[in-house]
Amino acid sequence: MMRSTFFLILLAVVDGAASIKNDTSNREKRDAVLIRSKRRWVLSTIDLEENMPGPYPSIVTQMYNDKKQENVKFRIRGQGVTEKPFGLFSIDENSGIVHVHRPIDREEYHFFHLDFDVLDKKTDDLVDKTLAFDVEIKDKNDNRPEFPLSTIRVSVPENTPEGVLQATLQAHDNDLKDTPNSEFTMSVVKQNPASPKFTIRDMPGTTRVKQLAFTGCFDYDKEKQYTVLVDAKDHGEPTMSSTATVILDITDYNTHPPEFSSATYNTEVMEMELKEILRIGITDKDTPNTPASRAVFSILKGNEELNYKIETDPKTNEGVLTVIKGKNFEKTEITELEIAVENEQKLFQCVDGKPVIGTRPKPNTAKVAVKVTDVNDPPVFKNQVEKVYRNENGPKGDVLFVPQVQDEDSDINKLRYELVEDPAKWVSLDRKTGKITTVETMDRESPFVKNGIYTLVVHSIDDGKPPATGTCTVLVYLGDLNDNAPYLISKNMVMCGNKVDRVDVTPRDLDSPPFANPFSFFLGGEEKLKSLWKLDPTTGTNTSLISLTSLPYGNYSIPLKIQDQQGLQSEDVLQVVVCECTRINTCRGRLPFSSRLGPAAIGLLFAGLLLMAFLLFCFYCDCKSMSCQHIPLNLQDEGIQTLSKYNEEGGRSIYKPESGFAQMPVGRKA
């Protein structure tokens, strides 16, 4: 229903209603119903009730103007007329009566602003200032509180302490905010099973979000699922409500302690043997393959020297007992271990609807008797790794090592020794005493020496049954001597004369510092060589050979002298090819001999062949008609003819040949 209907007398207002041409009574009535807005006068707000039952169209209000009624007409525009929602309001242009044509849902449109104009009927011109009025839709309780989800599912661990659960509840009412129509109360109306008891609490810091709470405890073995029906009811008239269902899935927790399959176990192992010796099974009533049932084993007694460990097999949940550190026994002995088992999760118990707090039962235990059988122990070297220091190139017959061995089970005088590793065959071994003696000179630069260390491996074998073997590694640290002169890594170089004037010279010395680099570099041979070449730098790890003049392309032999840091010198010859290069360090190859004839040359050649054929033909015809005489050739009358050889390039070398070969001048073009 429309709460109130205003019959408004509208007067023209010019420049903020400064000039009024009507009587005082009309001015007072107008001032009672007009409100000044930013741009125009706004009439009082009209209230309409949400979703009025009708009939429609229904009168909202009526507009008046002091102009002659028969000469003017009325028009409204704005929301509900010329803007969405279209066709909601209309005005009778003659009487000024405003109608509403259908129910209005406040949750969709709660406020309308309409402009009101008075026009001349004949010209449609405005005869007064534009006025406005507002229509506000008053709320009524036509919306129930709604839950976002009608069903909420939550997993709850069995050991959850009583109090608030991680199950939040939230609802929303679309009616006018902060009114009884939108305010609601949430409560538990039904649950199954009946225990423990569930209630609704406010989440800290807000009254809009609720949490499910309970008192007591859960027992997974009795109930695995709970269904709680929650109701949200608003405070409007009439009251409206809705419900949501909360399903709590209880997850199993450790409420049953694990138990051994047997109270005692027996196993055996050989002395000093490292291996798995026993598997221990358990039973657990909690859900398999969960922290509630997975076993955790420990050794309480008998493992003071940490010879054993026990772990859980993740597939079978058995305890696996293993010897991890051997112990030497002179006779067979029995070791007794006490094993305990618990679960990954702490034990939780719910008794008569109340959790058991503060008491923790002792874990289940079992006894394991381990029989350790004595075996023949191997000989033991005083040190499994022995270090010996010698200089390289030492004399033959040098005693490097004499072992010291103990054997608790055998006579050490009956031990025998074997040399297992001697890659360079530099030593010999006394099979009775194990003494190691050099039989060859040891070279530190040998490929069998790694990082200056030569490795020997010796075995000591007793006379037990079966025989036992001990091992010793002898590391011979070889001190370096200056017994290797520097040498060139590469003796053949290419100098691209069209690009560079030098080549890199890189030496190497097999010795180690201080018997290697930095090197000193010198030119050998004749003094004339120094006017053609130089070395720069003369000291360092490498140098460059630089040509001092532009050299003809050819092969050059450059004698070099190289000294290491201690002055040990070597002499070598560097072969340098000076040439024109097309690529890096690649000489240009010999160009191929080829020619091409053009069309004119081919024509001349063909014409010459035709002319020769014509002359031969003429000669043939002439000989046929005449008797051809033989012209004798007497070469002896022409003098003695001599053929001389002139294709020998250059003169004879000024150097004498050695061993039948001509020697090229050092540093000169070959």
Side-chain angles (χ1 to χ4, degrees):
M1 287 295 293
M2 183 171 55
R3 293 186 179 179
S4 61
T5 304
F6 294 91
F7 294 88
L8 307 176
I9 300 176
L10 305 180
L11 300 177
V13 181
V14 179
D15 295 330
S19 174
I20 304 174
K21 297 181 180 181
N22 297 300
D23 56 19
T24 303
S25 60
N26 287 338
R27 185 187 302 113
E28 293 174 351
K29 185 178 294 184
R30 183 204 62 208
D31 292 342
V33 298
L34 294 178
I35 301 172
R36 186 73 166 105
S37 72
K38 183 177 181 181
R39 296 184 180 179
R40 61 177 65 86
W41 291 95
V42 179
L43 306 177
S44 296
T45 300
I46 301 171
D47 292 339
L48 288 182
E49 186 177 297
E50 177 185 15
N51 292 325
M52 290 192 308
Y56 292 95
S58 179
I59 297 175
V60 176
T61 187
Q62 186 173 9
M63 306 298 181
Y64 288 92
N65 189 269
D66 61 347
K67 303 294 184 181
K68 290 184 179 181
Q69 197 75 14
E70 63 273 8
N71 296 329
V72 298
K73 60 181 180 180
F74 302 98
R75 183 179 68 185
I76 59 174
R77 50 192 168 85
Q79 292 176 288
V81 182
T82 58
E83 300 175 11
K84 291 182 180 181
F86 300 108
L88 184 60
F89 298 105
S90 67
I91 188 170
D92 188 303
E93 66 177 13
N94 296 314
S95 63
I97 297 175
V98 179
H99 292 88
V100 61
H101 291 268
R102 58 182 181 271
I104 303 174
D105 185 359
R106 183 199 163 279
E107 284 68 49
E108 188 174 2
Y109 299 100
H110 68 280
F111 186 84
F112 298 89
H113 180 80
L114 298 170
D115 292 331
F116 168 60
D117 294 317
V118 181
L119 300 90
D120 187 282
K121 279 187 176 181
K122 294 181 180 180
T123 63
D124 279 346
D125 294 332
L126 291 174
V127 298
D128 212 338
K129 287 287 185 179
T130 298
L131 302 179
F133 66 95
D134 296 329
V135 178
E136 184 175 356
I137 310 303
K138 294 301 179 182
D139 183 45
K140 75 174 184 179
N141 193 24
D142 59 346
N143 289 282
R144 69 182 70 239
E146 296 289 346
F147 290 94
L149 297 173
S150 60
T151 302
I152 303 171
R153 202 174 198 107
V154 180
S155 294
V156 180
E158 182 183 7
N159 70 322
T160 302
E162 63 180 4
V164 176
L165 295 172
Q166 297 301 316
T168 57
L169 298 163
Q170 194 171 3
H172 178 73
D173 195 311
N174 287 328
D175 289 320
L176 184 60
K177 186 179 180 181
D178 298 328
T179 66
N181 292 343
S182 63
E183 295 176 350
F184 55 86
T185 301
M186 202 177 294
S187 61
V188 175
V189 296
K190 184 181 179 182
Q191 71 172 71
N192 183 42
S195 179
K197 191 69 176 177
F198 294 97
T199 57
I200 298 294
R201 295 184 188 177
D202 290 336
M203 177 176 281
T206 177
T207 59
R208 309 293 298 178
V209 182
K210 312 294 181 180
Q211 288 182 299
L212 199 62
F214 77 104
T215 56
C217 57
F218 298 106
D219 190 338
Y220 178 84
D221 296 330
K222 293 181 179 180
E223 300 294 344
K224 295 178 175 56
Q225 189 180 84
Y226 290 79
T227 303
V228 182
L229 185 65
V230 179
D231 174 74
K233 183 180 296 183
D234 66 23
H235 302 161
E237 292 294 338
T239 299
M240 303 188 74
S241 65
S242 63
T243 60
T245 301
V246 181
I247 300 175
L248 302 176
D249 294 316
I250 309 303
T251 58
D252 188 25
Y253 196 81
N254 182 25
T255 56
H256 300 282
E259 297 180 355
F260 285 103
S261 304
S262 175
T264 59
Y265 297 88
N266 294 284
T267 185
E268 62 181 53
V269 64
M270 302 298 289
E271 174 194 19
M272 302 301 292
E273 190 175 21
L274 308 180
K275 69 172 187 176
E276 174 189 321
I277 60 173
L278 182 65
R279 283 182 170 261
I280 304 173
I282 57 112
T283 58
D284 197 310
K285 296 180 181 179
D286 291 308
T287 304
N289 300 319
T290 65
S293 63
R294 282 196 284 266
V296 178
F297 295 89
S298 60
I299 303 176
L300 301 181
K301 296 180 182 179
N303 193 32
E304 288 74 14
E305 297 182 8
L306 303 178
N307 298 100
Y308 305 92
K309 75 172 181 179
I310 186 166
E311 296 177 317
T312 304
D313 187 323
K315 294 182 179 179
T316 64
N317 210 31
E318 295 175 309
V320 181
L321 184 62
T322 307
V323 180
I324 59 173
K325 184 174 73 172
K327 185 175 180 180
N328 192 4
F329 293 92
E330 294 304 319
K331 60 180 180 179
T332 300
E333 293 188 7
I334 296 177
T335 301
E336 188 174 87
L337 305 176
E338 185 176 0
I339 310 294
V341 64
E342 297 178 283
N343 292 121
E344 291 182 1
Q345 292 178 341
K346 293 182 179 180
L347 188 66
F348 171 80
Q349 291 179 312
C350 181
V351 179
D352 298 329
K354 295 292 181 180
V356 178
I357 301 175
T359 60
R360 183 179 179 183
K362 293 183 178 181
N364 200 337
T365 61
K367 303 288 186 180
V368 178
V370 182
K371 181 181 179 182
V372 182
T373 304
D374 184 34
V375 295
N376 180 31
D377 297 319
V380 178
F381 286 86
K382 181 179 180 180
N383 297 309
Q384 290 186 341
V385 177
E386 288 282 355
K387 297 179 180 179
V388 178
Y389 297 88
R390 294 288 190 276
N391 283 330
E392 66 173 329
N393 302 327
K396 300 178 183 179
D398 183 16
V399 177
L400 298 179
F401 172 67
V402 178
Q404 298 181 34
V405 182
Q406 293 182 348
D407 194 325
E408 297 181 357
D409 296 330
S410 303
D411 185 355
I412 61 173
N413 294 319
K414 296 182 179 180
L415 299 179
R416 57 187 175 89
Y417 297 88
E418 291 182 357
L419 185 60
V420 178
E421 187 173 332
D422 176 20
K425 309 301 181 185
W426 286 344
V427 301
S428 64
L429 175 76
D430 189 317
R431 294 178 60 85
K432 291 185 177 181
T433 63
K435 180 174 66 175
I436 298 177
T437 306
T438 60
V439 294
E440 298 290 344
T441 299
M442 293 189 290
D443 183 5
R444 189 179 183 276
E445 288 70 45
S446 168
F448 300 107
V449 177
K450 308 298 182 183
N451 299 319
I453 302 173
Y454 184 64
T455 302
L456 303 169
V457 178
V458 180
H459 280 177
S460 177
I461 306 170
D462 64 18
D463 60 347
K465 293 185 179 180
T469 301
T471 302
C472 178
T473 301
V474 181
L475 302 179
V476 183
Y477 287 78
L478 292 175
D480 193 22
L481 298 177
N482 196 14
D483 58 342
N484 291 279
Y487 65 94
L488 292 176
I489 295 178
S490 175
K491 297 183 179 182
N492 297 283
M493 306 296 293
V494 174
M495 178 186 293
C496 297
N498 60 324
K499 296 182 179 181
V500 297
D501 64 348
R502 67 192 62 201
V503 292
D504 293 331
V505 179
T506 305
R508 177 179 295 173
D509 195 318
L510 296 177
D511 293 322
S512 299
F515 305 119
N517 59 42
F519 303 110
S520 297
F521 303 95
F522 307 94
L523 287 173
E526 303 171 350
E527 279 298 318
K528 184 180 179 181
L529 187 66
K530 296 180 181 179
S531 63
L532 300 176
W533 304 90
K534 75 171 183 177
L535 293 168
D536 186 30
T538 58
T539 303
T541 56
N542 52 40
T543 187
S544 295
L545 178 65
I546 304 173
S547 65
L548 300 178
T549 62
S550 178
L551 298 173
Y553 293 165
N555 299 326
Y556 295 84
S557 299
I558 315 298
L560 300 179
K561 297 179 181 180
I562 306 172
Q563 293 181 358
D564 64 19
Q565 189 175 358
Q566 302 302 322
L568 183 61
Q569 178 175 293
S570 66
E571 296 185 6
D572 218 330
V573 176
L574 180 65
Q575 303 293 336
V576 180
V577 177
V578 181
C579 64
E580 181 181 355
C581 296
T582 56
R583 291 179 298 173
I584 297 176
N585 295 333
T586 303
C587 295
R588 180 192 296 274
R590 183 188 293 265
L591 295 176
F593 293 99
S594 61
S595 62
R596 298 182 62 184
L597 297 178
I602 294 175
L604 291 174
L605 180 64
F606 185 70
L609 292 174
L610 289 178
L611 179 60
M612 183 178 291
F614 177 75
L615 293 174
L616 290 174
F617 177 76
C618 293
F619 179 76
Y620 174 75
C621 293
D622 187 49
C623 287
K624 199 171 183 181
S625 59
M626 298 175 61
S627 60
C628 296
Q629 296 180 354
H630 175 70
I631 299 175
L633 295 176
N634 189 359
L635 297 178
Q636 293 181 355
D637 293 340
E638 299 297 324
I640 300 172
Q641 303 294 320
T642 303
L643 179 63
S644 301
K645 182 180 180 182
Y646 291 102
N647 65 343
E648 186 174 304
E649 181 180 357
R652 181 177 300 174
S653 171
I654 62 175
Y655 288 85
K656 296 180 179 180
E658 294 183 3
S659 304
F661 295 92
Q663 180 178 350
M664 298 298 300
V666 177
R668 299 183 58 187
K669 181 179 176 184

